[in-house]
Amino acid sequence: MTDYRVPLAGVIGHPIGHSRSPKLHGHWLKTYGLAGHYIPMDVAPADLETVLRTLPKAGFVGANVTVPHKEAALKIADHASDRATVIGAANTLVFREDGSIHADNTDGYGFMENLRTGAPDWNAKDGPAVVFGAGGAARAVLQALSDAGVPEILLTNRTRARADHLKEEFGQRIHVVDWVQAGNVIENAELVVNTTSLGMQGQPELRVPLDGLQPGAVVTDLVYAPLKTRLLQTAEQAGCTAVDGLGMLLHQAVPGFERWFGVRPEVDADARAAALA
């Protein structure tokens, strides 16, 4: 018997109106001539499990989850990848035919692919990395940098206790630095990463002193609205390689799209333009 069902997927957050994922996935569906739809879904935390258990019955093959649902989604899932378990959060869900939910985290993959594309000369083993922030995105970045072989990761967060907690989880390679000292530790950094929302439209600026940035260092900001944050502008002026955050959004979306719709999409100029449209 022929299966005429159209595969459905989407992104779940609260709020969700700002998400660029629907434009990106819609672009790929059109580009590859695939049947399917990808929609934004604003779901309150109290309703998350009910919605996730219902979606497979409505023809959904999977979903992305974003703030504030990443940790809760992992707990709800019936199965999880090793990397989602280690990171402690999920961003990509696959609904299996029996209705069970498989959770994965592709944020670290997206982060590393964006670095490889935007800073092809960067070598993980060349020297230390400085990471601002200790939230869910930082967890994925720390795991990715550790796996890549970065020798030392200097982690700093406005609330030190959260950074200390991540050090306990992710090991000896991580050294916690007080937020007031953040500007001092970037002098020897080969890589500087902002995982906080500071510098995003509607948020306060990242007020870390940046005069210690060294020419040749790589600086990347997970914020992509605006595309060129004050951090990236300052990095360019200092002779650093600046990598914006949009590429991480694009690359993290690739594995989920492939699982749901059966084609591995390409991250190219057209995909970037579609996400920014």
Side-chain angles (χ1 to χ4, degrees):
M1 181 175 160
T2 305
D3 188 347
Y4 292 108
R5 289 177 299 179
V6 175
L8 306 175
V11 57
I12 299 172
H14 186 65
I16 199 59
H18 65 284
S19 177
R20 300 194 179 267
S21 294
K23 290 181 178 178
L24 173 64
H25 287 269
H27 163 75
W28 281 336
L29 285 167
K30 185 177 178 182
T31 298
Y32 298 107
L34 301 173
H37 298 283
Y38 184 102
I39 62 169
M41 293 175 274
D42 192 325
V43 177
D47 298 325
L48 181 63
E49 181 158 14
T50 302
V51 170
L52 289 180
R53 295 293 175 195
T54 303
L55 287 177
K57 301 172 186 175
F60 280 77
V61 292
N64 288 123
V65 283
T66 187
V67 178
H69 298 315
K70 291 186 178 186
E71 291 176 20
L74 179 65
K75 292 174 182 170
I76 292 167
D78 304 294
H79 318 279
S81 67
D82 290 343
R83 60 187 176 184
T85 302
V86 169
I87 292 167
N91 76 326
T92 303
L93 306 178
V94 175
F95 303 140
R96 294 177 170 169
E97 286 189 13
D98 62 1
S100 64
I101 300 170
H102 182 270
D104 193 10
N105 192 310
T106 64
D107 281 336
Y109 165 81
F111 171 75
M112 293 304 297
E113 286 299 306
N114 190 35
L115 264 188
R116 290 188 185 106
T117 304
D121 294 334
W122 176 74
N123 187 323
K125 298 177 175 62
D126 280 351
V130 173
V131 176
F132 301 143
R139 299 175 71 93
V141 167
L142 292 176
Q143 183 63 35
L145 292 177
S146 296
D147 288 348
V150 172
E152 181 184 26
I153 303 170
L154 301 163
L155 177 65
T156 183
N157 189 57
R158 285 169 290 180
T159 306
R160 177 167 177 135
R162 293 190 71 177
D164 287 333
H165 180 66
L166 290 191
K167 175 179 171 57
E168 288 175 21
E169 282 194 58
F170 287 93
Q172 296 301 311
R173 204 174 296 189
I174 294 169
H175 301 280
V176 176
V177 178
D178 284 329
W179 187 250
V180 293
Q181 298 296 323
N184 298 332
V185 296
I186 62 177
E187 292 180 7
N188 299 315
E190 293 289 330
L191 173 69
V192 177
V193 186
N194 177 39
T195 74
T196 76
S197 61
L198 296 174
M200 185 186 291
Q201 287 171 359
Q203 297 289 331
E205 283 291 350
L206 177 70
R207 302 220 174 271
V208 173
L210 300 172
D211 47 350
L213 286 172
Q214 297 298 309
V218 176
V219 180
T220 185
D221 200 330
L222 271 53
V223 170
Y224 57 84
L227 203 55
K228 191 171 285 189
T229 59
R230 174 179 163 269
L231 171 62
L232 296 184
Q233 289 173 10
T234 306
E236 285 184 345
Q237 291 164 5
C240 302
T241 299
V243 182
D244 69 55
L246 183 64
M248 177 175 168
L249 174 79
L250 303 180
H251 285 287
Q252 64 80 31
V254 168
F257 187 93
E258 182 179 22
R259 287 172 202 158
W260 304 325
F261 301 114
V263 171
R264 190 167 185 86
E266 217 175 306
V267 174
D268 54 18
D270 287 342
R272 274 184 73 92
L276 288 171

